[in-house]
Amino acid sequence: IKCIGVLTSGGDAPGMNAAIRSVTRTAIYHGIRVKGIYRGYKGLITGEIEDFETQHVSNIIQRGGTILKTARCPEFCTVEGRALAHETMRAHGIDALVVIGGDGSLSGAREFAEEYDIPIVGLPGTIDNDLYGTDLTIGYDTALNTIVSAVDKIRDTASSHERLFFVEVMGREAGFLALNGAIASGAEAAIIPEYAFEKDQLAETIENGFRKTKNSSIVLVSESESTGGAMKVAERVEKEYPQFDVRVVILGHIQRGGSPSAQDRILASRMGVAAIEALLEGQRNVMIGIVNDALVYVPFSKAIKKNKPIDEDLVDALRILSI
Ligand code: ADP
C-alpha cells in the first residue's frame, strides 16, 4: 500500500478529527501517502480530494465535527455510483481506504470492498454507540457528557416547578445514550428502543411509583421510531396521567457538537493508529473495535448487524437507583 484515502461519512461525531489526525500521521510515519477525501462518498465520486501532510491535521484534535466534512450520498448506494468512486480512486492513485462513520457508512464500505477488491478499514464514528463488536464508538462519550450537563440544568428547573420532564436524546434504534445518560444524570427512568415492543415502559415506570418520594422527575427517551420519541410519550401521559405537569425537551443536534472528551480523543487516536497497522498487516474489510480496552478487528458484516445488546445490569441499576 502506497497511498491511502481517508473520509468521514454519515452523521458527524466529536472525535472524528482526532481520528483523521491519527490516521494521517500514522500513515505518514509508515511512509504511506495520504489523501483527504471531502464529504464522504460524495467526494470519492466527484474527486474532492486533497493531498494531506502532517500539518493538514495540526490543531484539530480538540475540534468537534470533521474537517473533511461529511455527507449522505444516495448515489453510492448504486452500482453506477460505486463504479464512479472506483474510477476516481484509481485516477488519484489511492490503493486503500479508511472510512470513519456509522453503520450506513460501513455498509457502503462493505459493498464497495466486495465489488472492487479494495482494502478498506473502518473506524466506528457515531455518537449512537450502535456498532456491534465494539464496547465504544468515537463520539459516544462526548455526547453522553453533553446529555448529562443538559439534564443537570433541566433538573434545576424541574425540581423548582415540580414537573415531569421527558428529555429526548439521540441513538437511532439504540438506547445506549438514553440508558447511560439516565444513570449518569440521576434521571428516574429511560424509555429505550430495545424494550419498545417487549413491554410498556411508560406504564411500568409510572406504576412502579417512581415519584413516591419526589416531586419532580426526569425521563430520558430515545428518539427512535419504536419509542415514538418524547413528544408522543408526553402526549400519552397528558391523557392517561393528568396529575403530572409535563414538559418536553428535545436535545437534538447539540448532542453531535462540542469539543471531544479526553476519552474520545484517546479512543480515536488509538483506533487511527490501529487502522493503518491493520492495513499494513493485510487486514481488510474490518472495523477497528475496542473490547475490554483491547483493540480488535470486527468484520464489517458483523459490525453492521445492529444487534448490539443492552447490558441488563444497567437497566437494573437504573431501576434500583430511582426509588
Ligand atoms: P451513518 O454512517 O452515520 O450510519 P448513513 O446511514 O446516512 O450514516 O450512511 C452514510 C452513507 O453511507 C450513505 O449516505 C451512503 O452513501 C452510504 N451507504 C449507506 N448504506 C449503504 C449501502 N447499503 N450500500 C452502499 N452505500 C451505503
Side-chain angles (χ1 to χ4, degrees):
I1 293 172
K2 295 203 179 81
C3 175
I4 62 134
V6 57
L7 61 84
T8 50
S9 165
D12 64 327
M16 279 183 161
N17 282 328
I20 295 166
R21 170 181 179 269
S22 174
V23 166
T24 302
R25 296 222 166 140
T26 307
I28 292 170
Y29 174 87
H30 287 289
I32 300 170
R33 281 185 297 123
V34 180
K35 306 241 181 187
I37 301 161
Y38 288 88
R39 297 181 176 79
Y41 294 125
K42 204 169 148 200
L44 194 59
I45 291 175
T46 58
E48 267 192 280
I49 297 172
E50 189 182 348
D51 290 328
F52 262 33
E53 309 293 343
T54 57
Q55 61 271 23
H56 281 85
V57 294
S58 294
N59 202 13
I60 64 167
I61 195 168
Q62 76 283 17
R63 283 164 59 191
T66 158
I67 59 159
L68 285 175
K69 312 290 180 193
T70 182
R72 300 212 145 91
C73 175
E75 210 183 343
F76 196 73
C77 294
T78 66
V79 174
E80 296 77 20
R82 292 192 296 274
L84 287 174
H86 183 239
E87 274 174 34
T88 313
M89 262 185 83
R90 285 185 47 173
H92 283 81
I94 299 170
D95 350 276
L97 282 180
V98 177
V99 172
I100 308 166
D103 75 308
S105 304
L106 300 186
S107 302
R110 182 191 178 201
E111 293 264 330
F112 197 41
E114 273 175 9
E115 280 168 347
Y116 292 104
D117 193 32
I118 301 162
I120 307 183
V121 169
L123 294 188
T126 164
I127 65 166
D128 302 336
N129 200 29
D130 59 350
L131 288 161
Y132 187 86
T134 186
D135 294 343
L136 298 166
T137 57
I138 297 165
Y140 171 64
D141 182 64
T142 306
L144 203 47
N145 280 295
T146 301
I147 290 169
V148 170
S149 64
V151 175
D152 286 348
K153 293 189 172 83
I154 294 165
R155 173 74 69 192
D156 292 341
T157 172
S159 66
S160 302
H161 281 280
E162 310 192 312
R163 280 175 175 151
L164 167 55
F165 270 83
F166 290 100
V167 181
E168 183 174 304
V169 301
M170 287 186 169
R172 293 250 191 129
E173 288 302 316
F176 299 100
L177 284 172
L179 180 58
N180 286 292
I183 291 174
S185 60
E188 278 65 30
I191 295 180
I192 59 176
E194 285 80 354
Y195 295 126
F197 300 109
E198 211 168 285
K199 54 189 178 197
D200 187 340
Q201 298 171 88
L202 175 64
E204 200 169 71
T205 301
I206 291 179
E207 276 148 30
N208 284 346
F210 77 121
R211 248 179 144 183
K212 249 185 252 154
T213 59
K214 301 171 189 167
N215 297 317
S216 72
S217 312
I218 295 177
V219 175
L220 266 58
V221 183
S222 294
E223 67 177 349
S224 88
E225 242 172 74
S226 52
T227 63
M231 281 298 214
K232 272 262 174 65
V233 175
E235 274 167 27
R236 213 188 121 194
V237 173
E238 281 175 336
K239 264 195 222 128
E240 293 175 30
Y241 309 93
Q243 69 271 32
F244 296 126
D245 187 9
V246 176
R247 292 291 183 278
V248 170
V249 177
I250 296 172
L251 290 187
H253 285 78
I254 268 189
Q255 297 165 88
R256 294 261 194 89
S259 179
S261 67
Q263 179 163 306
D264 273 330
R265 297 182 198 193
I266 295 165
L267 183 68
S269 299
R270 289 175 71 188
M271 286 181 159
V273 171
I276 297 301
E277 286 174 353
L279 287 169
L280 290 172
E281 274 173 26
Q283 292 283 343
R284 42 169 61 210
N285 311 337
V286 292
M287 177 189 83
I288 306 295
I290 189 159
V291 176
N292 294 330
D293 206 35
L295 295 169
V296 295
Y297 300 138
V298 188
F300 285 150
S301 53
K302 255 190 161 175
I304 60 183
K305 266 196 182 151
K306 293 192 182 166
N307 54 351
K308 184 168 171 184
I310 277 278
D311 185 347
E312 298 279 339
D313 290 345
L314 292 174
V315 177
D316 287 343
L318 178 60
R319 195 171 36 81
I320 292 166
L321 298 177
S322 64
I323 56 168

